[in-house]
Amino acid sequence: MTEPVTLTSLPLAGIALAVVAALLLSLGNELQSRGVGKVSTQGEAAGLGFAQVKRLMRSRVWLLGTLSLVAAILVQLASLSLAPLIVVQPVGVTALVFAALLTAWATKKLPTKRVVRAILICIAGVGVFVAVAAVVSKQRPIRDEQLIAILIVLVVVLLAIAAVFVVSRVRKKPVHPILHVFAGGVLAGFVASLGKTVILRVQSALSELGEEFRFDSGIVLTLLCLLGIIVGGGLSIYFVQLSHVESKPEVVVAGLTVIDPVVAVVLGIVILGEAAGAPLWSIVVFVVAGAVAIAGVFLLSRAQNKDDRLAAEASS
């Protein structure tokens, strides 16, 4: 079994990079939402089929949004290399603020009080979470058995998501739009967790350059991590595109920046042990703050739907 690997923790630098990643994420989602919106109006049916995907690949706005999202992922991975997962990942909720500002700038309309209230609830929940996590969490080595546990949970989650959509198709009832947002966010959380592991292992391999290369269980697990990132990341991207068809950019960003870190943080606490030794009160705060943040996502989705209905009634 390979030795566990770790790196120096620089939480402030990690948090700063996470804010930059959040800005790039909100910009990328805004641009992708515009691209998907244009394509879906030309589509032969609701959803995102092969014909729509082909048009997306020719959309400059969508491609620019994709480049922004890739940059966001790279910056986020850099932030994960500098601080514990449960500190860095929740900072992405600041993308909600950036998304609201971008939407207001694009539509020349200020967000309604309902939307602002829901965003503030999300930020409050995640803000409390990050504040406590920064105090009680520690960067810890990642052992092989922990990595295996993450991969097993990922497989279970993929099977559960597949079951939901199979049942929906059999019953001929469409899946609720918010489930696409949640699926994209959940899988993104696994991608972040596995990405951090790959970073640690690559850094360890680079530090051992010049030594005899050994193809051991650690290499196999790293390759399985990469496979998990590809599968989980690909499906997350697909669900995000479906979300853009059905939901506003703020709702999509909320799913990615609230559900994603909640999943990543649960993995960081339960499996990676980043909060091992933390006092009981901090665990209670984590649970309550996480529940508040998730509630904010539902409130934001409801607020957006209500605003759309009011706008449609006013124009009719």
Side-chain angles (χ1 to χ4, degrees):
M1 181 178 292
T2 58
E3 292 295 323
V5 290
T6 185
L7 59 147
T8 302
S9 179
L10 299 171
L12 291 180
I15 289 172
L17 285 176
V19 173
V20 175
L23 175 59
L24 292 170
L25 174 66
S26 57
L27 178 61
N29 271 285
E30 176 67 29
L31 293 173
Q32 282 201 328
S33 178
R34 294 186 190 183
V36 171
K38 292 179 180 179
V39 165
S40 62
T41 58
Q42 304 171 23
E44 295 76 21
L48 197 63
F50 182 71
Q52 290 95 326
V53 171
K54 285 177 62 178
R55 286 195 287 269
L56 276 180
M57 299 304 295
R58 296 194 294 267
S59 169
R60 293 183 180 180
V61 173
W62 185 85
L63 290 174
L64 186 59
T66 301
L67 289 177
S68 182
L69 289 181
V70 170
I73 292 171
L74 294 176
V75 175
Q76 185 71 4
L77 289 176
S79 70
L80 286 171
S81 71
L82 298 174
L85 182 71
I86 67 174
V87 173
V88 168
Q89 203 65 13
V91 176
V93 77
T94 53
L96 274 175
V97 178
F98 296 132
L101 293 175
L102 285 171
T103 300
W105 175 76
T107 61
K108 302 297 188 295
K109 294 181 181 178
L110 292 176
T112 63
K113 291 182 179 180
R114 285 184 293 272
V115 170
V116 172
R117 189 185 306 117
I119 290 175
L120 290 177
I121 289 174
C122 288
I123 293 174
V126 175
V128 171
F129 197 110
V130 171
V132 175
V135 175
V136 304
S137 64
K138 293 182 180 179
Q139 189 97 293
R140 297 181 182 275
I142 297 177
R143 302 188 303 274
D144 284 358
E145 54 266 32
Q146 292 173 317
L147 182 52
I148 292 172
I150 293 178
L151 290 171
I152 291 174
V153 175
L154 174 59
V155 171
V156 172
V157 168
L158 288 173
L159 291 175
I161 291 175
V164 169
F165 285 93
V166 168
V167 170
S168 173
R169 183 174 292 273
V170 170
R171 293 184 176 181
K172 296 181 179 180
K173 291 184 178 181
V175 174
H176 193 284
I178 198 66
L179 289 181
H180 290 143
V181 176
F182 267 68
V186 167
L187 293 176
F190 278 93
V191 170
S193 301
L194 293 174
K196 183 176 180 68
T197 300
V198 170
I199 290 172
L200 291 171
R201 289 177 177 263
V202 169
Q203 286 189 340
S204 177
L206 292 176
S207 67
E208 296 173 358
L209 285 177
E211 300 181 10
E212 183 180 355
F213 175 79
R214 292 176 299 174
F215 189 84
D216 53 17
S217 61
I219 300 295
V220 174
L221 285 174
T222 301
L223 293 175
L224 288 175
C225 270
L226 289 172
L227 178 61
I229 290 173
I230 292 171
V231 174
L235 288 174
S236 177
I237 290 171
Y238 175 72
F239 286 128
V240 167
Q241 304 313 309
L242 283 178
S243 300
H244 282 310
V245 175
E246 305 159 327
S247 306
K248 293 293 185 66
E250 294 95 327
V251 178
V252 179
V253 171
L256 290 177
T257 58
V258 175
I259 308 306
D260 167 352
V262 166
V263 171
V265 164
V266 169
L267 293 175
I269 292 175
V270 177
I271 296 180
L272 300 183
E274 290 187 340
L280 179 60
W281 66 264
S282 65
I283 304 300
V284 175
V285 172
F286 287 155
V287 173
V288 174
V292 169
I294 293 175
V297 177
F298 282 100
L299 290 174
L300 181 59
S301 178
R302 290 176 59 185
Q304 292 284 10
N305 291 335
K306 187 171 183 178
D307 290 343
D308 288 344
R309 288 197 304 269
L310 292 176
E313 292 172 1
S315 61
S316 61

